[in-house]
Amino acid sequence: MRPTVCLVSVLALMAAAPAVMAQTASPETASASAADLRTYTAAEFYQTRNYGLSSPAGLGFSADGQSILISSDETGVFNAWALPVAGGAPVPLSVSTTVATRGLSYFPNDDRVLLSADSGGGGSELDHVYVRKLDGTVRDLTPGEAVKADLLGWNAARDTFFVTSNLRDPEVFDLYAYDPVTYESRLVFQNPGMLIADVSPDGRWLAIDKPNTSADSDVYVVDLQSGGEPRLVTAHEGAVAHGTYAFSPDSRQLIYGTDEHGEFNEAWTYDLTTGEKAPLIQADWDVQFVSYSPSGRYRISALNADASTELTLLDTTTGRPARLTGLPDGDIGQVRFNADETRIAFTVSSDTSPNDVWTADLATGQARRLVTALNPVINEADLVESSVVRYAASDGTIIPGVLYRPRGASAAHPAPAIVMVHGGPGGQSTRGYSPMIQHLVNHGYAVLAANNRGSSGYGKTFFHMDDRAHGEADLQDIVDAGSWLRAQDWIADDQVAVMGGSYGGYMTAAALAFHPDAFEAGINIFGVTNWVRTLESIPAWWGPQRDALFDEMGDPAIDGERHRRISPLFHAANIRRPMLVVQGANDPRVLQVESDELVAAVRANDIPVEYVLFPDEGHGFQRRDNRITAQEAYLKFLDQHVRD
């Protein structure tokens, strides 16, 4: 809900926190368990399946309740599948071999499916909405060369579905209502330049969010029946972030988030008739989302609790959480209901287990696993649970992070290490399964995923500590993460690298350029190298998000001098440590030329630089074969330039 813009998603609490918490295994335990440890290849890690359920705006169960709509990269590229509730192999609903295709929603009365796919080829991010008809043919419902569209949801009567599209104006997304029989569409709201967030179940109300700055935003509602002007819901003074969560199932209330009352986002209700506001969920962490089952009996909400997701499935008739049995330890996510709300589908994941798809009978609470994502050749016991740690930055600010300690690492056998930097600005490293990290840890590397100042999830003060100061204090936090690792007796203090993607790739290149002796090497994955050009080339469809990004990073028309000062490309002569650069040729956010120019500049220093360029990828790698190639390059590079 917080208005962050990613280039790929507790100050008081942290100040009082110990330097390290959630201790990792003792050296004796680690050494003993390492004796039986098997190492796995990148291909084996990436033969693990990625599973996701339907869009949260869609219908996750088929009309007869016998299948669950999932997306999976089982064939190497994401496609949509129908997963039998009774168990058994998923049935393919799309067969793309080149472009990621995902299932958005079933239709309410038959087996048609709404799909999403990149219309501009791999990585363009110009997603269209398609319908897979009963005969298996696919029709584009949102045609247009530069169109980007997405499903917003169905009305309660299930006789209309809503789509957002920038067909009329590349910079804004309007709202269209579609007839599910004829597929005819009509424009129901012409967006004046805000962010369409949700439509009420009765189809009358529309919620729209308006970023004012990176710290300040508003929520409006529009009465689509009367055709009136947007009504401001969140009148306030000062910098306060607001954002839409959902409408209530009876269409009488809007549930929205606000950080007006403290450091964290709280969930509040707004009565659409009276204008009365009231708190709904207040906690010591950000409320991530709030949603409801179709009838409203169940409310689903989640907290971002110290880099983990804490989900609550509340039965509003009893006021108590629904009880599910037979589940392993892990985070529950992506809850979807069948039509009569007797059954749910959901995912369960942990540090050592990716998203498995489960189903549960809500009357009994008994849960069943339908698919297991982890490659069966991998023994989960060989993987590593993370720990939450905190370290003091140079100026005393307490920085949180997620630490992975390889088995066998001890003072007698110190491990090489990597500081992993998340994307953003404003992202967050969280606990959970990462094949990239687990593969590196499995091969003996410690990984500290640092949440430098400016990261989300730790309160609004911490989040805004890097505004208009990117590449400065936040970069020092990453350098300090390397120093903290070197101070651990189980880390090889002369074998510490830095690595990250997107904004994390920028931080990697910046660390090598502005702190040239801080790390032994760096891996820059589609990172910004020239902020002047990047900010000037933001895609048109970012619209108001672009304005919020400019507020946080600075307007290139005004702050070009500072952008040049923090851009690694213009300081590449300082780089004297090896670098690996990985880039997608179709990336619309960080253009290929960014990486091309940095590689050429560093090679001119006579410094080892390796460059992996994928012609069929964008900002993030969708194809399994490309992910394997990249992962193999990471390990080979680190073994050559970091590990003794």
Side-chain angles (χ1 to χ4, degrees):
M1 168 250 139
R2 195 181 299 282
T4 65
V5 181
C6 290
L7 296 172
V8 190
S9 49
V10 205
L11 214 51
L13 176 62
M14 291 194 301
V20 182
M21 57 185 295
Q23 296 291 329
T24 53
S26 68
E28 294 80 8
T29 302
S31 296
S33 61
D36 299 322
L37 176 68
R38 176 186 164 187
T39 57
Y40 302 95
T41 66
E44 286 172 322
F45 271 100
Y46 281 97
Q47 285 300 325
T48 290
R49 305 294 189 255
N50 287 291
Y51 291 113
L53 301 189
S54 62
S55 164
L59 307 179
F61 282 79
S62 59
D64 62 8
Q66 300 304 303
S67 296
I68 300 165
L69 181 60
I70 66 170
S71 299
S72 170
D73 63 349
E74 183 160 338
T75 61
V77 177
F78 275 98
N79 277 286
W81 305 74
L83 180 63
V85 172
V91 178
L93 300 176
S94 66
V95 291
S96 175
T97 59
T98 57
V99 176
T101 303
R102 290 179 169 83
L104 295 176
S105 177
Y106 273 114
F107 276 65
N109 300 312
D110 56 49
D111 286 336
R112 287 174 295 161
V113 177
L114 292 173
L115 306 171
S116 175
D118 188 337
S119 67
S124 79
E125 301 185 17
L126 294 174
D127 299 323
H128 284 198
V129 176
Y130 301 82
V131 59
R132 182 186 187 274
K133 296 187 284 188
L134 294 177
D135 62 2
T137 60
V138 175
R139 173 178 170 178
D140 188 349
L141 299 181
T142 56
E145 184 175 344
V147 168
K148 182 176 176 66
D150 197 9
L151 175 69
L152 190 64
W154 290 81
N155 65 355
R158 305 297 191 236
D159 59 8
T160 301
F161 62 89
F162 298 94
V163 169
T164 58
S165 170
N166 66 344
L167 173 65
R168 180 186 59 85
D169 182 337
E171 296 194 12
V172 298
F173 290 86
D174 297 325
L175 182 67
Y176 294 82
Y178 276 74
D179 185 310
V181 176
T182 66
Y183 309 125
E184 292 180 355
S185 65
R186 58 185 176 88
L187 177 66
V188 294
F189 179 70
Q190 185 169 305
N191 192 349
M194 304 187 210
L195 301 176
I196 291 178
D198 199 14
V199 63
S200 62
D202 64 2
R204 175 179 176 180
W205 298 98
L206 177 68
I208 51 179
D209 296 345
K210 183 178 184 295
N212 301 313
T213 69
S214 64
D216 184 68
S217 51
D218 281 305
V219 174
Y220 293 77
V221 292
V222 179
D223 187 339
L224 297 176
Q225 287 184 1
S226 68
E229 293 297 312
R231 180 208 308 174
L232 179 62
V233 170
T234 54
H236 65 278
E237 295 182 359
V240 181
H242 300 92
T244 297
Y245 287 133
F247 283 97
S248 62
D250 61 9
S251 299
R252 294 180 179 179
Q253 292 182 325
L254 173 72
I255 296 86
Y256 68 97
T258 177
D259 64 7
E260 184 172 12
H261 310 284
E263 281 291 318
F264 298 99
N265 293 325
E266 300 176 353
W268 283 61
T269 60
Y270 172 81
D271 190 293
L272 292 163
T273 301
T274 67
E276 182 180 353
K277 299 176 183 177
L280 181 67
I281 302 174
Q282 297 172 301
D284 291 332
W285 296 101
D286 281 334
V287 177
Q288 286 184 284
F289 61 82
V290 180
S291 63
Y292 290 88
S293 64
S295 75
R297 174 174 177 176
Y298 296 97
R299 188 186 77 203
I300 311 97
S301 61
L303 300 179
N304 180 352
D306 207 10
S308 292
T309 298
E310 292 184 357
L311 184 139
T312 299
L313 176 60
L314 184 74
D315 186 337
T316 61
T317 64
T318 64
R320 296 191 298 270
R323 183 171 177 268
L324 302 179
T325 61
L327 291 173
D329 291 338
D331 288 347
I332 295 175
Q334 302 184 51
V335 178
R336 306 290 184 263
F337 292 83
N338 67 354
D340 61 8
E341 299 181 9
T342 59
R343 179 169 294 280
I344 57 173
F346 56 96
T347 59
V348 179
S349 64
S350 68
D351 286 338
T352 59
S353 175
N355 276 342
D356 293 339
V357 181
W358 288 71
T359 185
D361 183 322
L362 288 174
T364 65
Q366 183 61 47
R368 287 187 293 112
R369 191 192 322 248
L370 296 178
V371 290
T372 300
L374 189 66
N375 185 348
V377 307
I378 296 178
N379 181 356
E380 189 175 343
D382 289 331
L383 307 185
V384 172
E385 292 279 352
S386 67
S387 303
V388 175
V389 301
R390 287 177 165 81
Y391 62 91
S394 298
D395 64 357
T397 301
I398 302 301
I399 307 299
V402 181
L403 179 67
Y404 298 79
R405 178 173 178 164
R407 302 189 189 282
S410 67
H413 301 283
I418 303 161
V419 176
M420 188 75 69
V421 194
H422 62 66
Q428 182 188 19
S429 290
T430 60
R431 300 188 68 184
Y433 184 79
S434 165
M436 171 194 286
I437 291 176
Q438 289 289 352
H439 175 249
L440 295 173
V441 175
N442 180 246
H443 283 261
Y445 287 88
V447 175
L448 173 58
N451 281 312
N452 51 271
R453 70 192 71 197
S455 300
S456 58
Y458 303 98
K460 61 186 179 183
T461 302
F462 189 82
F463 178 72
H464 292 291
M465 287 180 74
D466 68 340
D467 286 1
R468 307 259 178 142
H470 299 83
E472 297 170 349
D474 60 349
L475 179 58
Q476 185 63 51
D477 294 342
I478 298 306
V479 173
D480 291 338
S483 299
W484 183 86
L485 281 170
R486 294 178 200 276
Q488 310 308 304
D489 64 5
W490 53 275
I491 294 293
D493 61 9
D494 60 346
Q495 300 176 37
V496 181
V498 61
M499 174 180 182
S502 192
Y503 189 79
Y506 157 68
M507 293 277 269
T508 295
L512 297 186
F514 301 118
H515 300 268
D517 296 319
F519 296 99
E520 273 63 61
I523 299 177
N524 164 14
I525 308 167
F526 46 78
V528 176
T529 65
N530 179 351
W531 278 110
V532 178
R533 177 170 51 217
T534 294
L535 292 172
E536 289 176 344
S537 61
I538 295 296
W541 49 264
W542 278 43
Q545 291 174 302
R546 178 179 53 195
D547 297 335
L549 179 63
F550 284 1
D551 175 73
E552 181 176 353
M553 290 291 306
D555 188 327
I558 300 172
D559 298 309
E561 181 179 348
R562 188 179 72 84
H563 293 154
R564 185 178 182 89
R565 176 163 50 85
I566 67 171
S567 295
L569 177 63
F570 305 117
H571 307 273
N574 297 333
I575 296 176
R576 49 179 177 260
R577 296 294 171 88
M579 179 187 293
L580 168 64
V581 179
V582 186
Q583 175 74 40
N586 300 328
D587 194 330
R589 304 186 183 207
V590 179
L591 305 180
Q592 179 188 329
V593 65
E594 297 270 322
S595 293
D596 291 348
E597 291 181 348
L598 183 66
V599 167
V602 178
R603 282 177 176 164
N605 298 344
D606 199 25
I607 297 298
V609 180
E610 298 178 26
Y611 191 17
V612 177
L613 179 65
F614 295 115
D616 51 357
E617 296 284 9
H619 200 72
F621 308 141
Q622 299 292 330
R623 298 173 60 95
R624 180 185 294 132
D625 55 349
N626 290 337
R627 295 197 296 270
I628 292 170
T629 298
Q631 190 71 32
E632 290 173 340
Y634 304 151
L635 182 60
K636 180 181 177 182
F637 174 83
L638 291 166
D639 283 349
Q640 181 177 354
H641 297 289
V642 177
R643 193 198 302 265
D644 280 349

